[in-house]
Amino acid sequence: MSPAPDERDRIRAAMDRILQGTAQHSNGALTIVALAQEAGVPRNVLTQRHPDLKNDFYAQVRVRGQTPDSEIRLRTQIVKPKELRANDASELSQLRADVDHLFRAVNQLTVENRQLRGALSQPSSPVRALPTHPPAQ
């Protein structure tokens, strides 16, 4: 399918309207979707047939000191994963510290258990074994 003869002109006019804040056929967002809607063309026309106009649109947005809406949306979307990653790193650090503490406690209890078993095996030991009860059923 060949492009309409005035397609590039309509896209350039739509770019001007959006950049001036006077969009007539779209919400005026600084996105390719809004530009395509404003120009009355499918979005793939900008991405496949006229990528130079798409790139020119984004360049003009940046020159004016604005950030394209798609970039703003992506930047807000990456905040959450970054926060989750920081929280996970903090939790992982705490878990590693907990494992170290638990390892030390188990080692200490193992040493004490050996000492008590050794004392229990002595005939004159003050250590006495507690009676064991069968498990409740």
Side-chain angles (χ1 to χ4, degrees):
M1 184 171 163
S2 62
D6 66 338
E7 193 171 73
R8 290 183 69 83
D9 294 333
R10 286 187 295 148
I11 294 169
R12 288 194 188 282
M15 286 170 56
D16 291 338
R17 286 194 303 273
I18 288 177
L19 292 171
Q20 293 170 4
T22 58
Q24 299 171 355
H25 308 289
S26 70
N27 62 5
L30 300 174
T31 64
I32 293 303
V33 173
L35 178 60
Q37 189 176 20
E38 187 68 25
V41 298
R43 183 185 62 83
N44 69 333
V45 166
L46 287 164
T47 58
Q48 296 173 6
R49 199 178 301 157
H50 304 295
D52 59 317
L53 293 177
K54 174 190 73 143
N55 295 337
D56 185 38
F57 175 69
Y58 280 139
Q60 287 185 43
V61 167
R62 285 188 179 86
V63 164
R64 294 172 184 234
Q66 297 172 308
T67 305
D69 291 348
S70 57
E71 186 176 333
I72 292 170
R73 191 171 47 253
L74 288 173
R75 287 184 186 274
T76 57
Q77 286 177 350
I78 64 171
V79 168
K80 181 79 171 173
K82 282 184 176 181
E83 289 173 353
L84 290 173
R85 186 170 181 209
N87 291 343
D88 288 347
S90 174
E91 184 179 353
L92 182 58
S93 176
Q94 182 61 49
L95 289 171
R96 284 183 174 150
D98 290 348
V99 165
D100 191 43
H101 290 106
L102 291 171
F103 183 75
R104 288 183 181 144
V106 166
N107 282 339
Q108 180 63 36
L109 292 171
T110 301
V111 168
E112 290 176 9
N113 192 13
R114 281 188 192 136
Q115 290 171 347
L116 290 171
R117 286 182 188 270
L120 185 61
S121 66
Q122 300 299 321
S124 62
S125 172
V127 177
R128 295 186 188 202
L130 295 174
T132 59
H133 297 290
Q137 292 183 1

